[in-house]
Amino acid sequence: MLANDGPAVLGERPPLTPDLTGAELTRWYWTLAELTALARRLDVPRGGGKGALTERLRAALDGEPLPVAAPRRAAAVRQLSAPVDGATVIPDGQRCSQVLREFFRREIGPGFHFDAHMRAYVAENPGRTLAEAVAHWHTTRDVAAEPQEIGAQFEFNRFLRAWHADHPAGTREEALEAWRTHRSAPRHPAVTSGTS
């Protein structure tokens, strides 16, 4: 419900203002841009992703202490730079960089992309070689070809996947219209932290 104007009409999204309650904030879909604009108005830290931002805004709107942010990961001491080859060892904290992308495309082919399996391999296997990472790519292709779970923070993508499964002959415009209807409706129950 709105703090100053009484309850919102069912199905009518209220304006995103500092007068909103935390419960009403989490009852509706908001874009990251909308949430960021409200965070600026309330002087709430804007980093950490949509779920964390929503939780901080919910607390601020309800007059509660802001949740403690997770400590930032220390920056990598060093990142690989070209040239690299199969014997190059993945350092701790290596990102999925352009240097790695170019190496993997040379070794695997133009179909290479950083999927969840390769991102996790690079992040979780310091001390392994890039040749071992190439072998990992090849051994994970069957699993990677299966439909993957879409994270809760990607609500639009999750909605479209479910909508197209229910409406296989539906058009893109029909799906987008269904999304607009979905996002303008209140959530039951209100979404809690960690989701969007």
Side-chain angles (χ1 to χ4, degrees):
M1 88 190 240
L2 291 171
N4 294 336
D5 302 325
V9 176
L10 182 64
E12 183 180 327
R13 190 173 83 148
L16 185 56
T17 69
D19 295 328
L20 216 57
T21 65
E24 194 67 7
L25 172 80
T26 59
R27 190 171 169 230
W28 300 91
Y29 175 85
W30 308 100
T31 65
L32 181 57
E34 290 172 314
L35 295 171
T36 301
L38 180 60
R40 280 190 187 100
R41 287 180 70 185
L42 295 174
D43 198 26
V44 168
R46 298 180 298 275
K50 189 175 177 183
L53 177 57
T54 300
E55 186 56 26
R56 283 193 300 275
L57 286 171
R58 185 208 55 75
L61 290 169
D62 288 345
E64 299 173 1
L66 299 184
V68 177
R72 289 185 173 229
R73 215 171 107 186
V77 175
R78 69 180 183 103
Q79 295 290 302
L80 292 175
S81 59
V84 296
D85 60 25
T88 301
V89 173
I90 300 170
D92 190 24
Q94 176 65 42
R95 293 185 304 271
C96 296
S97 65
Q98 191 61 34
V99 169
L100 291 186
R101 184 183 317 279
E102 290 171 7
F103 168 78
F104 290 133
R105 284 198 174 146
R106 276 195 317 268
E107 296 297 311
I108 295 168
F112 171 79
H113 59 279
F114 281 111
D115 59 15
H117 301 285
M118 287 301 284
R119 286 191 304 273
Y121 189 89
V122 170
E124 298 166 6
N125 288 283
R128 301 280 188 156
T129 66
L130 293 183
E132 291 173 300
V134 169
H136 176 74
W137 165 268
H138 292 298
T139 61
T140 58
R141 292 310 85 204
D142 288 341
V143 174
E146 297 172 5
Q148 304 297 309
E149 179 68 24
I150 299 174
Q153 71 271 32
F154 303 112
E155 183 176 352
F156 176 70
N157 296 354
R158 291 167 62 101
F159 177 86
L160 287 183
R161 179 183 280 180
W163 189 90
H164 281 295
D166 292 342
H167 307 87
T171 67
R172 174 174 165 71
E173 192 49 49
E174 290 169 331
L176 293 176
E177 183 58 34
W179 165 250
R180 287 188 284 272
T181 300
H182 168 78
R183 77 173 185 198
S184 66
R187 300 161 188 255
H188 298 287
V191 175
T192 57
S193 70
T195 60
S196 61

